[in-house]
Amino acid sequence: MAPLLAHHRFSADRGAPASARRFARVTLSNWGFGSVSDTVELLVSEAVTNAVGHAASGGEMIMRQIPSGIRIEVSDYGSGIVEQRNPGPDEVTGRGVAIIDALASRWGVESDGTPRDGERHKTVWFEFDHQAV
C-alpha cells in the first residue's frame, strides 16, 4: 500500500492560512488522523502565515504519511531565513516558529536552491510521531 500524500497550493493573500487549515483538517479526517487535527491546523496556520507575510509568496503545502507518523511541508519562494525568535511581551508577532518547535515531534527548514524570479525555494517542515497521532 502506497503512503498517503496530499498537495495544496496557496496564494500570497490573507485567506491562505484559513484555506490551508481547512485542507489539513479534511485530509487528516479522510486519513483517520483527526486526533491531531487541531494541533496540525495551528502549525499549518503559523507556517503558511509566515510564508505569506514574511516571504510575500504563495507556495505549496504537502502532507504525507511517513514511517514514524505524518510530515507536513510548507514551501515558499521568499529569500528570508526562518529562525526562532524571542519576542518581547508586547510584540504581537514572532512566536510562530516557537509554537512549531513546542508542538511538533521534529521540525526543520530546507532550501533546494532552485531560483524562481531571482529567489530561492525554501521549505519549513514538521512531523508528528505515531504516539501523537
Side-chain angles (χ1 to χ4, degrees), residues 36-102:
V36 294
S37 182
D38 289 344
T39 304
V40 169
E41 286 180 58
L42 173 62
L43 301 192
V44 161
S45 187
E46 292 296 335
V48 172
T49 296
N50 284 346
V52 171
H54 296 295
S57 166
E60 180 179 29
M61 181 174 72
I62 298 173
M63 299 176 65
R64 69 179 80 230
Q65 181 184 28
I66 58 174
S68 61
I70 299 170
R71 179 179 173 112
I72 295 94
E73 302 169 1
V74 177
S75 300
D76 65 55
Y77 294 96
S79 59
I81 297 171
V82 177
E83 60 188 359
Q84 191 166 343
R85 293 184 48 219
N86 188 15
D90 295 331
E91 292 182 70
V92 295
T93 63
R95 292 172 180 79
V97 175
I99 292 169
I100 292 171
D101 183 58

